[in-house]
Amino acid sequence: MEYDFRRIEKHWQKVWSTQNSYNVEESAEKPKFYALDMFPYPSGAGLHVGHPLGYIASDVIARYKRHCGFNVLHPMGFDSFGLPAEQYAIATGQHPAITTETNITRYREQMKQIGFAFDWSREVRTSDPSYYKWTQWIFGKLFESWYDVEADRAKPLSELENSFSKNGNFSINPACEDEWWKGLEMSLFPHFGENFSGTFTATDWNSMSKQARNAILMHFRLAYLANSEVNWCPELGTVLANDEVKDGLSERGGHPVEKKTMRQWMMRITAYADRLISGLDEVNWTDSIKEAQRNWVGRSEGASVKFSGSSSASNCVVDVFTTRPDTLYGVSFMVLAPEHKLVPNFTSNENEAAVNEYILSASRKSERERQGEKTISGVALGGSVIHPLTGREIPVYISEYVLAGYGTGAIMAVPAGDERDWKFAQHFSIEIPDIFEGYDTNKAVCLDDKAKLKNSGSLDGLEKSAAIPAALNLLEKDGLGERRINYRLRDAVFSRQRYWGEPFPIYYENDIPNLISDVTVSLPTVDAYLPTTDGEPPLARANREDWPVFRGDRMETNTMPGWAGSSWYFLRYMDPHNNNEFCAREKSDYWGQVDLYVGGAEHTTGHLLYSRFWTKFLCDSDQISFDEPFKTMINQGMILGRSNFVYRIQGTEKFVTFEKRKDFKTQRLHVDITLVENDKLDVEGFCKWRTEYSNAEFVLGDDGTYTCGYEVEKMSKSKYNVQTPDELVEKYGADTLRCYEMFLGPLTQSKPWDTQGISGVHNFLRKISRLIESSSDVEPTKAELRIVHQAIDKVTADLNRHAFNTVVSALMIAVNELNDLDTPRSHQALRPLITLLSPYAPHLAEEVWALIGGEGLVIDSVWPKANPAYLVSDDTIYPVSFNGKVRFKLTLPTSMTAPEIEEIILADDRTKKQMNGREIRKVIIVPGRIVNIVG
RNA sequence: GCCCGGAUGGUGGAAUUGGUAGACACGUCAGACUUAAAAUCUGAUGACCGUAAGGUCGUGCGGGUUCAAUUCCCGCUCCGGGUACCA
């Protein structure tokens, strides 16, 4: 009987669905396993072959773990708020919810036909009010929390208020910005003088107005409002990301972009900086992802050093951050970021014009562009500072290589020991103080950590590791500076000027934000999805009566960013229909951390950092009992497309086959890959493809076919090389697609999508189906058992190390070897093989399982154990090498010892022939592996 | 610039801890079956020399360590990804 995958797959999908085979409940009897996939955004284009790659891998593991007796949670849902649906809404007026619904339906159908073991009863959608109700709830929790630096965890805001009312802000250390008080509206605090420096008493606090207290608390909340500079595009009425801005213009439309300060919601992720680093030690992720996160958080230990201004700027103090306080004596200039607030204080009258011009040109560049700039540029301000140790005057420059947002926005330049500073000094002919023994730093920069210092006062003779603590002591002793830890990580902007996102559960009364915690604030109806004419977000179009909930003077009209809903979705899957809690504690205690997360590495510094932050926060708030969301993660590689080309003879409608293209002057054109099979063009189909090709003629190859050229490049519609899984499922079936995507190569490597090899995998499934159909209820032979048990051993080991591709090979080898046997195949021997197959080709596995009388469904069968007795063979084939080169092979009993082997080998005629009279110097024997004779 | 990956036959890849390089599959070639085609099955297939036996070369390039290197070390080239000139 032919392998009828269409009937088989339809049938078993129906069986699983009617039996709810993949629905899962907590169970005390079984250990749990949580397999999670990246949260898909349902775009209009549908699923393409890159998507299922990760889903198949996690499905294989989920099914494998189920065979091993685990209670497996493997859910799927949709990150359904997002820009494309909103843009479609702007263009057509159709509510984004409708577009989203349509796309989700398509995605779900596509995923269902691939036969994933998803528990669809747990599907969640971030745009569903029953879901974002809880996103709002978590936001509310963050709004009403602060971070206690001493206890190193988040705490309820009420504790902070309580402490303020008893002790003011003495003896309490909440995470906040440096000099947080500087941004306060001082008119709210009439009794604080000009010298207010951030400390207040209980009496102060208790006498403050509500507005005043709110203004102070805002600096300590984990979700807070702050002024933040954004790329504002007045034309589009929206804020743009850095990479949406090119040369000061919006990428889309080319409109001018300006910096604008906006009052935005922020997340105090910086409070978690250290824990985001230390937590990495507890997870099983690749080192490169961990390293990227560490670099993103960017913890560096160093010192802040105070430089006083000289002459006209003598009332100024410039605070710099340095990781190399040991090189303090090598400072010969200072560089401020062009945006640094003290720039005017150091600028002399004659330099003013040049300085202003430089500031303007720097401000036009995005941060990215400034960082990528290779040429050295900068301007001397004219003013100088005093070196804190030597008292020398140090000139002050501005340059775009110093960023305002990092450290203090000012550096002390040490040209002798820093590459950039050295180049800068060379460029501007600034003196390079000689501070390293044995190095001529006027010729080249010294980057040797072992170099000993000179001309450095009490630090002379010390190398970096010893000099740093000595320098720190020196600075702290005289109050010239202090130890400091600096982070690159910045607080995350949490407001978006969009419609299709979670509304904030916030209303304003006298401009004080108030939390709405008793009801869900769902999206209001609006007449259009565009910003208002005065640049307010789309939600500002809603009148009071358009809001399902309206309180106070006005509602918050920003919405939350995409990462809000996706930062905690893995928790909602545990308890998706709970209307009283975001996730019941007993459920999150049962399912716990995600045991395997499969997804791309592109989320490293976004989603993966934010979910870790929220998880830690929820753990601090005692909502869940773990503070790292994803225990183990695998990052799948990118799938590239294989494009096909036809060669049009220039100026004609004639197309020449690949082999003969060089005989003509041709244009290479992309051709739709659906018209090509194994690089052979469907000539008729090609003529019908485009009206312009209807009269095409062809110069064919000698075999009468048209061969196309090919190239591997990015999968894209415009290159006609996009493969959706639908066509492949239609043509070969879901099981073939599943096996093939795994067979392609290592999951983590990016690789071309090339369907040429798919027939081999399809053949394998056909062979296995025939093999099992032809088996009978006889006693298994030893040879059969050996083949099957070797497969069990190999497949199990490969799955445990996530080597998905070699599992398919191992099964192919087993099937080929079983086919080669000339004894009848037995049901008993084949059953374990079907279980091994079932994670990869679950439909076919069910079919053949039922055929040879397996009990129940194969998906519930017990994973077989390899019997070691069948794995070892009595004989070992030894490759015998001479000086490392294999010359002949010898079969010897496996049990033979090294001296016995040596005796036999040396007696062998071939050995004598190889040695050709030379003396044997050494014989290396690795029992069970190899023999090497040196001579 | 910096950081992280990667490079193995015509193609995708295998070689798990330094131990037979090229498993498995595609493609190609030859053969069987067939009136023919498809499907299926069998065999060959890294390059070079050789009728063969056999030999030489061969895992991006150049060195090194080792009895033995795709694997470890040093230096480089190219490709991909990330990025923040991070003080």
Side-chain angles (χ1 to χ4, degrees), chain A residues 774-781 784 823-830:
Chain A
S774 68
S775 65
S776 50
D777 197 6
V778 294
E779 275 298 301
T781 64
E784 262 184 302
T823 51
R825 264 71 58 171
S826 91
H827 289 172
Q828 196 194 320
L830 291 178

Side-chain angles (χ1 to χ4, degrees), chain A residues 656-666:
Chain A
V656 58
T657 187
F658 178 77
E659 313 92 86
K660 299 183 179 171
R661 72 191 189 287
K662 298 240 164 102
D663 302 341
F664 304 89
K665 200 163 183 188
T666 58

Side-chain angles (χ1 to χ4, degrees), chain A residues 881-884 915 918-924 932-935:
Chain A
S881 346
F882 293 82
N883 297 322
M915 292 317 291
R918 278 172 295 147
E919 192 193 335
I920 291 174
R921 283 195 283 140
K922 200 171 179 184
V923 178
I924 291 133
N932 190 17
I933 296 164
V934 186

Side-chain angles (χ1 to χ4, degrees), chain A residues 663-681:
Chain A
D663 302 341
F664 304 89
K665 200 163 183 188
T666 58
Q667 269 176 299
R668 194 178 77 156
L669 304 170
H670 276 100
V671 59
D672 196 313
I673 50 166
T674 55
L675 298 170
V676 181
E677 196 168 341
N678 290 339
D679 289 336
K680 299 294 182 192
L681 181 68

Side-chain angles (χ1 to χ4, degrees), chain A residues 814-927:
Chain A
V815 169
N816 290 345
E817 286 181 356
L818 287 167
N819 264 329
D820 288 343
L821 296 176
D822 40 19
T823 51
R825 264 71 58 171
S826 91
H827 289 172
Q828 196 194 320
L830 291 178
R831 277 193 201 108
L833 200 66
I834 300 174
T835 301
L836 299 185
L837 177 72
S838 123
Y840 281 76
H843 310 86
L844 175 61
E846 289 293 5
E847 181 76 12
V848 294
W849 181 259
L851 193 71
I852 63 169
E855 232 174 276
L857 292 175
V858 72
I859 55 170
D860 290 317
S861 62
V862 175
W863 193 257
K865 259 202 157 70
N867 182 346
Y870 296 120
L871 299 180
V872 288
S873 120
D874 296 342
D875 294 325
T876 301
I877 303 168
Y878 281 94
V880 182
S881 346
F882 293 82
N883 297 322
K885 287 187 180 169
V886 179
R887 292 304 175 192
F888 64 88
K889 283 165 193 175
L890 196 63
T891 304
L892 297 170
T894 304
S895 56
M896 200 173 254
T897 64
E900 290 167 333
I901 294 169
E902 181 167 346
E903 194 180 326
I904 291 174
I905 298 273
L906 293 185
D908 197 290
D909 282 347
R910 288 169 295 186
T911 304
K912 287 173 186 148
K913 190 181 155 214
Q914 283 295 333
M915 292 317 291
N916 197 17
R918 278 172 295 147
E919 192 193 335
I920 291 174
R921 283 195 283 140
K922 200 171 179 184
V923 178
I924 291 133
I925 292 169
V926 183

Side-chain angles (χ1 to χ4, degrees), chain A residues 575-772:
Chain A
D575 195 7
H577 309 297
N578 192 334
N579 288 324
N580 304 314
E581 286 173 277
F582 80 113
C583 174
R585 185 59 181 265
E586 66 267 23
K587 306 229 172 184
S588 64
D589 280 350
Y590 177 77
W591 292 111
Q593 288 173 296
V594 171
D595 295 287
L596 181 70
Y597 198 22
V598 180
E602 69 271 18
H603 300 290
T604 305
T605 52
H607 165 63
L608 289 172
L609 213 55
Y610 297 132
S611 353
R612 293 182 61 218
F613 160 40
W614 279 32
T615 302
K616 288 180 190 303
F617 168 71
L618 289 169
C619 183
D620 288 355
S621 314
D622 201 25
Q623 298 295 329
I624 53 175
S625 54
F626 47 92
D627 82 338
E628 280 293 338
F630 314 122
K631 184 76 195 166
T632 299
M633 180 166 61
I634 317 179
N635 304 110
Q636 91 230 33
M638 189 168 56
I639 286 211
L640 307 167
R642 188 180 193 277
S643 310
N644 277 113
F645 299 96
V646 291
Y647 301 86
R648 183 166 64 192
I649 301 172
Q650 273 188 20
T652 70
E653 282 178 50
K654 247 186 185 173
F655 293 84
V656 58
T657 187
F658 178 77
E659 313 92 86
K660 299 183 179 171
R661 72 191 189 287
K662 298 240 164 102
D663 302 341
F664 304 89
K665 200 163 183 188
T666 58
Q667 269 176 299
R668 194 178 77 156
L669 304 170
H670 276 100
V671 59
D672 196 313
I673 50 166
T674 55
L675 298 170
V676 181
E677 196 168 341
N678 290 339
D679 289 336
K680 299 294 182 192
L681 181 68
D682 168 7
V683 171
E684 255 175 64
F686 179 74
C687 294
K688 286 183 201 146
W689 183 38
R690 292 278 177 81
T691 46
E692 57 189 292
Y693 298 148
S694 55
N695 297 316
E697 294 173 60
F698 300 91
V699 178
L700 302 175
D702 297 336
D703 58 351
T705 62
Y706 187 100
T707 309
C708 296
Y710 73 92
E711 193 174 295
V712 172
E713 54 187 348
K714 191 180 157 174
M715 199 173 272
S716 138
K717 245 185 186 166
S718 64
K719 300 181 198 306
Y720 303 108
N721 65 352
V722 169
Q723 286 273 6
T724 68
D726 311 56
E727 303 151 27
L728 294 165
V729 169
E730 170 59 27
K731 198 165 170 188
Y732 297 101
D735 284 339
T736 301
L737 176 81
R738 294 170 62 103
C739 292
Y740 186 59
E741 292 224 13
M742 294 298 98
F743 185 65
L744 267 182
L747 182 68
T748 53
Q749 227 163 274
S750 73
K751 53 197 156 275
W753 177 255
D754 178 352
T755 52
Q756 270 197 76
I758 203 167
S759 60
V761 173
H762 189 66
N763 262 343
F764 154 68
L765 293 179
R766 261 211 307 249
K767 274 197 231 172
I768 207 170
S769 129
R770 263 184 280 131
L771 177 77
I772 291 164

Side-chain angles (χ1 to χ4, degrees), chain A residues 66 71 137 162 255 303 433 455 493 669 694 727 829 877:
Chain A
R66 177 176 180 149
N71 192 26
W137 175 82
N162 205 12
H255 306 296
N455 300 327
V493 181
L669 304 170
S694 55
E727 303 151 27
I877 303 168

